[in-house]
């Protein structure tokens, strides 16, 4: 089935499928964008204009079944909704973060009848809304500060004029504390669409030479609309800033 992106969220979804390194952009837009969900709110069944849902309102959402399990179908545009329902149906337009918070604990599928979609488990939704279950910021050699990695990144970032600042925290899950690894947050200045994938490729190439075998993740940071783990990254001092183009160690 032909899939022509209708909005920025759908463009990010397609990019995330073909270029997995851009997935953080998709998740950021998923939380920030309006999503469509089948259902209605008691007292507003025939509403045609935007309205606010009061606390305690009775919200009725239509669920689906897949492999014997219930899920919530949500959609990134009217076109994706029409792929799923073939007759006129009532639907709500809800901000992504608000919808995921409202239905917290329920798995959902974005665009279940379309070529491009995404399944989100309850655990994945919780991490999107709250960040990982156990995160700590790292400073100092005593706790394994990855100096070689950060110095390599600072040198690379100095050659990339679109990079404003970069942060590092150590990410670990409570059940696997021995598997902690660095998460690098990068703030860019309105890069062209191809800049982020090319930056990831440059980072991977430099890492293979300087810190071969080291496991680390990279996430784009928008300090004005932090999503996912960006909030935790922004609580630490950056190890790189454009204005001095040198690593900053605590």
């Amino acid at each position: 089935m032909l899939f022509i992106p209708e909005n920025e969220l759908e463009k990010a979804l397609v990019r995330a499928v073909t270029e997995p390194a851009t997935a953080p952009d998709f998740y950021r837009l998923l939380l920030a964008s309006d999503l469509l969900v089948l259902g209605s709110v008691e007292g507003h069944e025939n509403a045609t204009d935007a309205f606010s849902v009061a606390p305690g309102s009775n919200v009725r959402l239509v669920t689906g079944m897949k492999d014997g399990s219930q899920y919530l179908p949500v959609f990134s545009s009217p076109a994706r909704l029409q792929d799923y329902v073939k007759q006129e149906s009532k639907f709500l337009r809800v901000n992504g973060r608000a919808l995921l918070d409202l239905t917290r604990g329920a798995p959902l599928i974005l665009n279940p009848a379309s070529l491009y979609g995404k399944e989100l488990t309850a655990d994945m939704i919780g991490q999107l809304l709250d960040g990982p279950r156990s995160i700590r910021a790292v400073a100092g050699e005593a706790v394994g500060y990855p100096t070689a990695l950060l110095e390599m990144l600072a040198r690379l970032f100095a050659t990339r004029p679109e990079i404003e600042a970069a942060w590092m925290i150590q990410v670990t899950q409570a059940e696997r504390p021995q598997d902690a690894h660095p998460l690098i947050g990068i703030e860019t200045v309105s890069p062209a669409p191809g800049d982020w994938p090319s930056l990831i490729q440059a980072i991977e190439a430099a890492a293979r030479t300087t810190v071969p075998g080291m496991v680390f993740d990279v996430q784009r940071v928008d300090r004005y609309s932090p999503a996912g783990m960006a909030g935790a990254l922004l609580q630490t001092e950056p190890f790189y800033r454009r204005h001095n183009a040198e690593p900053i160690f605590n």
Side-chain angles (χ1 to χ4, degrees), residues 106-169:
L108 66 83
I109 299 180
L110 176 69
N111 303 337
S114 301
L115 181 61
Y116 290 92
K118 177 65 178 177
E119 294 189 28
L120 294 173
T121 65
D123 185 62
M124 293 170 65
I125 291 170
Q127 293 199 35
L128 278 177
L129 294 172
D130 305 328
R133 282 170 288 181
S134 178
I135 286 184
R136 58 191 177 92
V138 180
E141 204 67 41
V143 286
Y145 199 66
T147 303
L149 171 66
L150 301 189
E151 288 181 342
M152 176 273 291
L153 290 173
R155 289 193 298 270
L156 173 63
F157 294 167
T159 69
R160 308 281 304 209
E162 76 272 23
I163 298 178
E164 282 291 295
W167 298 260
M168 189 281 295
I169 59 175

Side-chain angles (χ1 to χ4, degrees), residues 21-22 25 186 188 191-201 218-220:
T22 67
D25 287 340
I186 302 173
T188 62
D195 285 354
W196 184 255
S198 74
L199 173 60
I200 296 300
Q201 291 174 4
V218 178
Q219 174 180 329
R220 183 180 290 170

Side-chain angles (χ1 to χ4, degrees), residues 65-120:
M65 296 292 294
K66 181 180 179 182
D67 300 329
S69 298
Q70 197 172 45
Y71 73 93
L72 181 68
V74 298
F75 309 92
S76 51
S77 69
R80 310 289 84 86
L81 175 64
Q82 291 169 11
D83 290 339
Y84 184 78
V85 295
K86 304 306 179 184
Q87 69 281 350
E88 185 174 347
S89 302
K90 296 184 182 299
F91 66 89
L92 303 171
R93 185 184 298 272
V94 188
N95 167 262
R97 179 179 289 276
L99 178 61
L100 266 60
D101 197 36
L102 175 68
T103 60
R104 185 187 290 264
L108 66 83
I109 299 180
L110 176 69
N111 303 337
S114 301
L115 181 61
Y116 290 92
K118 177 65 178 177
E119 294 189 28
L120 294 173

Side-chain angles (χ1 to χ4, degrees), residues 167-183:
W167 298 260
M168 189 281 295
I169 59 175
Q170 197 87 317
V171 177
T172 179
Q173 292 189 4
E175 64 271 21
R176 296 199 302 273
Q178 72 279 6
D179 293 337
H181 62 275
L183 171 67

Side-chain angles (χ1 to χ4, degrees), residues 216-244:
F216 63 95
D217 292 320
V218 178
Q219 174 180 329
R220 183 180 290 170
V221 170
D222 181 351
R223 70 175 70 205
Y224 303 105
S225 182
M229 290 172 274
L233 285 157
L234 288 169
Q235 292 176 27
T236 69
E237 286 295 316
F239 69 86
Y240 172 84
R241 292 192 187 99
R242 163 60 48 186
H243 67 262
N244 58 10

